[in-house]
Amino acid sequence: MSEEIKMQTSTLKPLATLALLISMLVSSANAVAFDEDTQAVKNEGMRLYNSYQRSKSEPYLTTAAEAGDVEAMYYLGEVYRLRHMGLTNDAMNWYYQAAQHGEPYAMLRLHSGGACQLGDVCPENGDDWRGAALEETLPKAEDGDSEAMMALYSIYAALGDMGAANHWLLEAAEADNTYAQDWLGRQIIGDQEEYSNDTERFEAAEVWFRRAAEQGYGPSLKNISSVSLHLGRSEEAYEWLVRASNAGLVDARLGIAWCYLDPGRDALCVNEQNTAAGTGILEAMIEEINKTEVQFLLDNVAEPLTGEQREVANEIKAEWLNHKPPLSYFPDKFGF
């Protein structure tokens, strides 16, 4: 056994006892009724997580997870895993708790991290977290749960069955799961061999992007903007980008601000220059999600504001800081 494996094993094995004790304390219910204060704390934790302020999200998610929120348990596990680029005891603890409530992505994290082999943290009936995830999720998908259908894509992919994985991806998309629809559109964009030309490929992807965009899904709103631009529909592309910004997508909000500052930067920017608007948007982004890198645009692209423009920029900044939904990168639930 390598020294690295020995180190991982010695680190993870104490968690087996901890996880067992925790599982005895956690309610077996799949849903917990939360008071408004707890729900508000959880919402703030998710806002911070989705805007890549994960360290700040930790205390909020911890409060919700300790109150029994399964989603908070999973995302708290993600916070710890991403912070240390691997399966630490803290990450394992929260994934295990979420897994006890049937969270399939938590089970997949336990599998990929070697929880059973290295830490003796295994499913109740066996030693394969992938199988446990499949057993938990397949009946829900067959009953029409589109989130379960989407989870089956990752489960079957982990099991090496891409035929079944793609079947359930399509099923989820047909069931109007916006994430599945967007993913399917992105797959089509990347499949250059299947289509005779770029126009045919973009038009095929557009079908799925549009279905998700019509439900207000931020990434698809931006993706259909990109497709429209590729197909020569600049004005329509800009309108979709505005909608993506209004849906809270960080990249789209940044794109709109940049267009205001420098309309000539590309064909997407069909608007008139409005330095006050661009400045107000960027300053709001810096304050809301600590996106300090946009300061480069303020320092190097934005023209100096007059006194009147400064007042307008302040008003626009205040409007965006009160805008709902909040800014988000819409991160994949089961990403890297």
Side-chain angles (χ1 to χ4, degrees):
M1 183 181 293
S2 71
E3 289 302 316
E4 180 181 1
I5 295 297
K6 288 180 180 178
M7 183 177 298
Q8 288 178 320
T9 304
S10 63
T11 300
L12 294 178
K13 276 194 172 181
L15 186 64
T17 301
L18 173 62
L20 180 61
L21 291 174
I22 290 172
S23 68
M24 296 172 63
L25 298 174
V26 175
S27 168
S28 61
N30 289 325
V32 179
F34 299 105
D35 58 52
E36 291 183 1
D37 289 342
T38 302
Q39 186 62 49
V41 168
K42 187 261 184 89
N43 291 345
E44 177 63 8
M46 291 306 304
R47 181 191 74 80
L48 291 165
Y49 181 92
N50 289 333
S51 62
Y52 291 169
Q53 300 181 83
R54 292 176 179 135
S55 293
K56 293 182 179 179
S57 75
E58 180 185 335
Y60 298 95
L61 292 177
T62 299
T63 297
E66 290 177 346
D69 188 288
V70 179
E71 184 179 43
M73 294 174 193
Y74 172 74
Y75 279 109
L76 195 54
E78 290 286 87
V79 168
Y80 286 116
R81 180 184 66 86
L82 291 166
R83 178 182 298 165
H84 299 285
M85 300 301 291
L87 197 62
T88 64
N89 275 354
D90 287 327
M92 177 94 75
N93 168 29
W94 290 111
Y95 286 143
Y96 184 77
Q97 290 196 54
Q100 301 314 292
H101 291 286
E103 170 52 63
Y105 295 116
M107 298 181 196
L108 293 181
R109 291 296 188 211
L110 290 169
H111 163 73
S112 63
C116 189
Q117 294 80 5
L118 301 178
D120 199 25
V121 179
C122 301
E124 183 176 343
N125 300 314
D127 60 0
D128 189 346
W129 281 109
R130 298 169 302 174
L134 180 62
E135 182 179 355
E136 178 72 29
T137 309
L138 183 58
K140 298 176 183 177
E142 291 175 336
D143 284 342
D145 185 332
S146 72
E147 293 294 332
M149 295 175 192
M150 189 64 235
L152 283 177
Y153 175 86
S154 297
I155 294 169
Y156 276 114
L159 289 166
D161 188 347
M162 289 310 300
N166 287 322
H167 164 77
W168 284 107
L169 174 63
L170 181 59
E171 289 290 312
E174 292 285 11
D176 274 340
N177 182 286
T178 55
Y179 181 69
Q181 291 166 341
D182 189 73
W183 194 328
L184 197 55
R186 284 182 282 153
Q187 282 192 342
I188 293 171
I189 290 292
D191 190 1
Q192 298 187 16
E193 297 181 359
E194 182 69 21
Y195 299 91
S196 59
N197 56 66
D198 287 346
T199 298
E200 181 181 332
R201 182 162 50 93
F202 282 117
E203 288 178 345
E206 181 179 15
V207 173
W208 292 108
F209 289 145
R210 188 176 293 273
R211 284 184 61 170
E214 287 173 349
Q215 299 180 68
Y217 186 56
S220 288
L221 289 163
K222 187 175 185 295
N223 285 333
I224 201 170
S225 172
S226 298
V227 166
S228 298
L229 189 62
H230 278 290
L231 296 176
R233 307 194 302 256
S234 295
E235 291 189 5
E236 181 181 341
Y238 184 77
E239 291 173 1
W240 284 109
L241 190 66
V242 170
R243 290 180 61 180
S245 170
N246 290 339
L249 183 64
V250 171
D251 292 344
R253 186 77 53 83
L254 179 60
I256 292 297
W258 201 339
C259 280
Y260 277 134
L261 297 179
D262 183 14
R265 73 183 181 92
D266 63 36
L268 177 64
C269 302
V270 298
N271 58 291
E272 297 291 331
Q273 184 175 22
N274 189 331
T275 304
T279 299
I281 292 172
L282 293 177
E283 290 180 346
M285 294 181 73
I286 291 172
E287 185 167 330
E288 181 178 349
I289 63 171
N290 195 33
K291 195 168 179 62
T292 54
E293 60 265 36
V294 305
Q295 188 65 46
F296 173 84
L297 295 179
L298 292 174
D299 294 340
N300 296 277
V301 179
E303 297 178 355
L305 299 179
T306 66
E308 183 178 348
Q309 287 177 318
R310 179 71 266 174
E311 292 180 5
V312 172
N314 289 341
E315 292 175 359
I316 291 172
K317 174 183 175 181
E319 289 174 3
W320 281 112
L321 286 174
N322 290 315
H323 180 80
K324 302 296 180 186
L327 282 169
S328 173
Y329 287 95
F330 290 83
D332 294 346
K333 184 171 184 178
F334 189 65
F336 294 104

